[in-house]
């Protein structure tokens, strides 16, 4: 159920100029006093809403406010991100999504936080998560697919974020296989998928995405490897718009993936943005290293690496960590 605050934001955003209080009352079926109260709350949350006598309300420049109403009012999906949990601060949105999964939250639930105090990267690394500057979000999914296919969903998310950035900002980014979104050879987005599974059955997946949105600088250690949308575009970006568009793209792509339970329907789009395509790569496998040229992916999302002798090896990302129930505690 959409809250009245979410509805008001949606209506005001879609109104050119002013909308009278009377009209808002009628559209929402609430009293003038109630409208006034919601407006007051929204202003307190940082929205610049002008109220002019005899004209009504007008939403001026929307600041980069992140909150449940702001995110929900932009959501154009059927099931992904229809339930949103927003936190000012959380340990990790992935961890929180797993908690919610254990409490039977439905597939498609979205967790967003303005800040993470225990942000997780891949391979046990820390994902630095300062407040108010980036996007930290996790989707909970309960897919009817075999556990060995879970890593493909991470690729689906990577592709969706690239498309969302393109649709919202008109910026072309690419993917460093399997799922880092990069721009000018620097990392912009990281994705961490975790799952709870039995041998042949996925209990749930949590797909966590960190987007460097409005950072203006990175630490000495990261500054050569990471960048942000703001640093690349020279202006801040609206995080809620990017979140909603990512959900829209993900829902569409996921439904294509679900039909075949592989990437055959998305390979072309993915390959079109693959930074490694026809580039030399070095494959580091435990106890085994080799080089070759990346020739794209197959329908399982494996990277096809052509070796010097002409043979092609399909490289599995192997980046999904399998966790048992409650193992995150
Ligand atoms: C990587 O190492 O590239 C993956 C980084 C994933 C970071 C995101 S931020 C939202 C979600 N919550 C986490 O703790 N990690 C992921």
């Amino acid at each position: 159920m959409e809250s009245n605050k979410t509805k008001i934001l949606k209506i005001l955003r879609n109104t050119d100029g002013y909308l009278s209080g009377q009209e808002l009352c009628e559209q929402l079926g609430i009293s003038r006093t109630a409208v006034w109260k919601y407006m007051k709350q929204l202003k307190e949350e940082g929205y610049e809403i002008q109220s002019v006598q005899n004209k009504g309300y007008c939403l001026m420049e929307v600041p980069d406010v992140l909150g449940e109403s702001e995110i929900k009012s932009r959501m154009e999906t059927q099931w992904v991100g229809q339930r949103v949990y927003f936190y000012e601060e959380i340990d990790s949105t992935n961890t929180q999504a797993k908690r919610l999964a254990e409490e039977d939250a439905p597939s498609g639930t979205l967790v967003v936080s303005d800040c993470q105090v225990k942000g997780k990267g891949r391979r046990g690394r820390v994902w630095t998560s300062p407040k108010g500057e980036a996007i930290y979000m996790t989707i909970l999914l309960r897919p009817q697919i075999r556990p060995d296919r879970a890593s493909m969903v991470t690729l689906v998310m990577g592709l969706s974020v690239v498309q969302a950035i393109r649709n919202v900002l008109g910026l072309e980014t690419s993917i460093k296989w399997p799922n880092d979104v990069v721009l000018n050879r620097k990392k912009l987005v990281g994705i961490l998928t975790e799952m709870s599974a039995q041998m042949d059955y996925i209990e749930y997946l949590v797909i966590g995405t960190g987007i460097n949105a409005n950072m203006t600088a990175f630490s000495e250690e990261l500054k050569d490897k990471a960048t942000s949308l703001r640093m690349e575009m020279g202006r801040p970006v609206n995080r809620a718009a990017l979140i909603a568009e990512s959900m829209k793209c993900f829902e569409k792509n996921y439904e294509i993936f679900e039909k075949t339970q592989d990437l055959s329907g998305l390979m072309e789009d993915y390959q079109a943005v693959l930074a490694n395509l026809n580039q030399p790569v070095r494959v580091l496998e435990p106890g085994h290293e080799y080089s070759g040229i990346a020739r794209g992916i197959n329908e399982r999302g494996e990277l096809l690496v052509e070796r010097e002798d002409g043979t092609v090896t399909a490289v599995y990302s192997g980046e999904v960590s399998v966790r048992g129930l409650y193992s995150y505690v």
Side-chain angles (χ1 to χ4, degrees):
M1 254 295 273
E2 256 181 7
S3 72
N4 284 331
K5 232 160 54 175
T6 303
K7 286 183 192 155
I8 290 176
L9 280 176
K10 211 186 249 179
I11 295 170
L12 286 183
R13 201 179 293 118
N14 293 327
T15 305
D16 246 355
Y18 288 82
L19 186 72
S20 73
Q22 185 57 38
E23 207 159 316
L24 264 175
C25 294
E26 279 165 19
Q27 285 198 33
L28 298 169
I30 56 176
S31 69
R32 282 294 264 262
T33 327
V35 167
W36 183 84
K37 259 202 241 157
Y38 288 123
M39 292 298 174
K40 188 164 172 277
Q41 281 177 22
L42 286 168
K43 283 180 194 168
E44 278 162 10
E45 287 171 22
Y47 291 91
E48 205 190 315
I49 298 170
Q50 233 173 42
S51 31
V52 175
Q53 237 181 4
N54 299 327
K55 274 170 116 181
Y57 298 99
C58 178
L59 184 60
M60 311 309 278
E61 251 316 287
V62 181
D64 180 32
V65 176
L66 207 54
E68 195 182 315
S69 306
E70 178 63 25
I71 296 167
K72 279 189 176 165
S73 69
R74 292 176 180 270
M75 208 60 82
E76 293 175 26
T77 52
Q78 297 301 313
W79 61 279
V80 176
Q82 279 302 310
R83 192 176 287 204
V84 179
Y85 288 84
F86 174 78
Y87 305 89
E88 293 292 335
E89 183 181 297
I90 198 81
D91 45 3
S92 146
T93 54
N94 271 26
T95 308
Q96 181 59 10
K98 288 194 275 185
R99 287 189 197 106
L100 293 166
E102 302 295 347
E103 291 164 10
D104 289 333
S107 195
T109 296
L110 172 67
V111 180
V112 180
S113 184
D114 199 29
C115 157
Q116 296 185 122
V117 290
K118 267 195 174 166
K120 297 187 287 186
R122 268 174 301 168
R123 304 183 207 291
R125 285 189 285 252
V126 169
W127 186 259
T128 316
S129 310
K131 188 170 179 62
E133 297 188 343
I135 293 172
Y136 315 110
M137 61 178 183
T138 300
I139 306 174
L140 163 66
L141 286 182
R142 300 184 181 277
Q144 310 266 310
I145 55 171
R146 290 205 323 258
D148 61 346
R149 294 182 176 237
S151 63
M152 294 182 221
V153 186
T154 317
L155 274 73
V156 175
M157 189 67 214
L159 173 62
S160 307
V161 175
V162 167
Q163 293 169 337
I165 292 173
R166 176 191 298 149
N167 296 349
V168 174
L169 304 170
L171 187 68
E172 286 301 327
T173 55
S174 50
I175 298 181
K176 176 173 170 285
W177 183 85
N179 46 50
D180 280 355
V181 177
V182 294
L183 185 56
N184 294 332
R185 298 181 168 270
K186 289 182 174 176
K187 183 159 163 172
L188 201 58
V189 177
I191 303 173
L192 174 68
T193 295
E194 298 177 77
M195 82 172 158
S196 170
Q198 307 293 333
M199 282 292 282
D200 55 351
Y201 168 78
I202 296 180
E203 212 103 40
Y204 57 80
L205 280 185
V206 297
I207 307 156
T209 306
I211 305 181
N212 296 339
N214 289 330
M215 281 98 157
T216 48
F218 285 93
S219 65
E220 197 57 34
E221 187 197 344
L222 289 176
K223 77 177 199 311
D224 294 331
K225 288 181 266 177
T227 190
S228 76
L229 290 166
R230 181 177 185 159
M231 285 158 78
E232 297 294 330
M233 301 200 59
R235 63 168 175 87
V237 300
N238 184 286
R239 290 176 294 164
L242 269 175
I243 294 171
E245 187 64 23
S246 300
M247 294 304 106
K248 189 176 168 188
C249 294
F250 181 80
E251 183 176 273
K252 189 164 154 262
N253 291 330
Y254 183 78
E255 285 171 4
I256 296 172
F257 162 79
E258 217 179 11
K259 281 198 193 107
T260 51
Q261 308 215 342
D262 65 24
L263 298 171
S264 44
L266 297 168
M267 268 163 69
E268 217 174 289
D269 287 346
Y270 182 93
Q271 246 148 231
V273 295
L274 182 60
N276 311 93
L277 192 65
N278 298 326
Q279 298 297 313
V281 288
R282 186 145 186 89
V283 181
L284 308 167
E285 284 175 354
H288 183 49
E289 279 189 26
Y290 57 91
S291 301
I293 305 288
R295 294 296 183 204
I297 58 165
N298 62 17
E299 66 286 346
R300 290 184 301 280
E302 295 162 338
L303 188 69
L304 301 173
V305 177
E306 188 182 327
R307 316 273 286 266
E308 217 166 50
D309 61 6
T311 58
V312 175
T313 311
V315 183
Y316 177 66
S317 70
E319 55 150 24
V320 174
S321 53
V322 180
R323 309 228 166 165
L325 292 185
Y326 298 107
S327 66
Y328 55 86
V329 178

